[in-house]
Amino acid sequence: MDKVYTIGSKSFVLDQAKAEEAFSAKRIINGRDTMFFNILPLKYQWAYELYKNMKNNHWEPEDIPMQKDIELWRGTELTDVERWIIKMAIGYFSAAEGIVGDNVMHVTRELVTAPELKLVLGRHAHEENIHADSLVYMISSLGINPHECESMFEDIPTIDRKTDFVVSNSKGLRRDMDLTKTEEKQAFAKNIFLFGQCMEGTQFYGLFGMILSLYRQNKFPGIGQMFRYTLRDESNHIELFRNLFMDLVEENEDVWTESFRQELRDLMAEAVSLEKAFIKDCLPVNSVGLSSEEFCQYIDYIADRRLEGVGLEGLNPGVKNPFPWLAEMMDIKKEQNFFEGRVTEYQKASALGNVDDDEL
Ligand code: FE
Ligand code: MN
C-alpha cells in the first residue's frame, strides 16, 4: 500500500514496492551498486545505532589536561619500567591506529555495499584519526622525540611481527576482488575477523591493561583518561566488526566451512602468541605491581571471549580473568561528568532515531 506524504501544498507518494526492492537489494557484500548514499530504508539497524552511539562518545584530545603527566614525566620518581611502558604504548599505537583506519577505508568500507555500513565505517575511520591525534598530543605534551617512537616501531622485532601480521593481509585485499567466489568471500571474512577480533579485540589489550594499571595507581591521569576513551571507542569497533562478520556469514553460508572455522581459530592462536611475546618486551621484569604472566593469561581470556563472540570455540576453556578490576575500569558508560555539557550537546535527539521500521 502506497503512503502519501503532504508537505504544504504538495504531496508525495512513496512507492512501497520500490522501497521494498531497495531494502532487499541491500547486502553486506554483492548488494546493489548505487551512486546514492541511500541510508533509508535501513536494513542493518545495528549499524545505524552504533553510528549514533559512537557519535555520542565523541571526544577531543585537547580537552584532556596533561599537566600532571608532564610533571611526572619530567620528575625523578618514575621507574625505568614505567617510562618504557609509556614509550611502548605511544610507539605501538601511533602506528597501529593508522593501520586500522587505513584498512577500514581501503578494504572494509570499499567492499561492503549497504550505505548504512559505509556510514558507520566512515565514523570508525574518523575515530582512528582521533586516536592517532591523541598520540600526537601525548608525544608533544611530554616532549618525546617522535623519531624515537618511529624507530622503536621499526627496531623492535615483536612490534614488527605484530605489524606484519595485519598489514600483509590488508595489502593483499587491496585489489579488485571477485566476491562471488567462496575463497574471496572467505578472504574478506578473514580480514574482518583479523582486524576486529584479533587486532583491535585482542592485541590492543596488553598495553591497554598496562596503561590502565598505571592509571589505577594514580599515575598518568591524562594519558590514562585518553586510553579509557580510546578503549570505549574500540569496544564499539569490535562490536561493529563482529556484527559485520556475523551478517556476512549468515548471508553467505558457503563461507562457514569446518576448515575455515579452524583457520580462524589458528589465526587467533597466532595473534595471541605474537601478543605474548610483545608483552614480555613491554614488561621485561615484573615491576610496579605488574606481572607479564598475568598479562599473558589476560590475553588468553580476552581471545576466548572474542572467539565465542563470533560463534567459535575458545582456545583455553575455563581460563579466568586475572584482572577483574580492569573490566570495571573499562566500563565508563556510567560516568556522569563526561565533558559536562558537551556530551548532552552531542546527544541531540534526531528525528531519524525514532522512526519505526514499518515507516521506512
Ligand atoms: Fe583506535
Ligand atoms: Mn579502533
Side-chain angles (χ1 to χ4, degrees), residues 93 96-97 100 124 127-129 131-132 200 204 208 230 233-234 237:
F93 284 113
E97 303 288 8
V100 174
H124 183 173
E127 290 185 0
E128 300 310 344
N129 288 343
H131 299 168
E200 295 191 284
F204 277 17
F208 277 158
T230 298
D233 296 339
E234 298 306 348
H237 303 169

Side-chain angles (χ1 to χ4, degrees), residues 3 5 19-21 49 54-55 66 74 77 87 115 144 187 208 243 246 248 258 276 278 297 302 309 330 333 351:
K3 279 186 186 171
Y5 292 88
E20 273 164 24
E21 193 196 326
E49 272 160 23
M54 288 159 82
K55 204 162 59 81
M66 283 291 286
R74 289 182 185 158
E77 57 183 284
K87 283 188 184 172
I144 291 173
F208 277 158
N243 281 313
M246 299 299 272
L248 175 67
E258 181 56 43
K276 287 180 178 176
F278 175 68
Q297 184 186 330
I302 291 286
M330 286 173 184
K333 287 188 190 114

Side-chain angles (χ1 to χ4, degrees), residues 192-203:
I192 294 173
F193 176 80
L194 174 70
F195 275 86
Q197 309 309 312
C198 300
M199 188 190 191
E200 295 191 284
T202 302
Q203 294 189 320

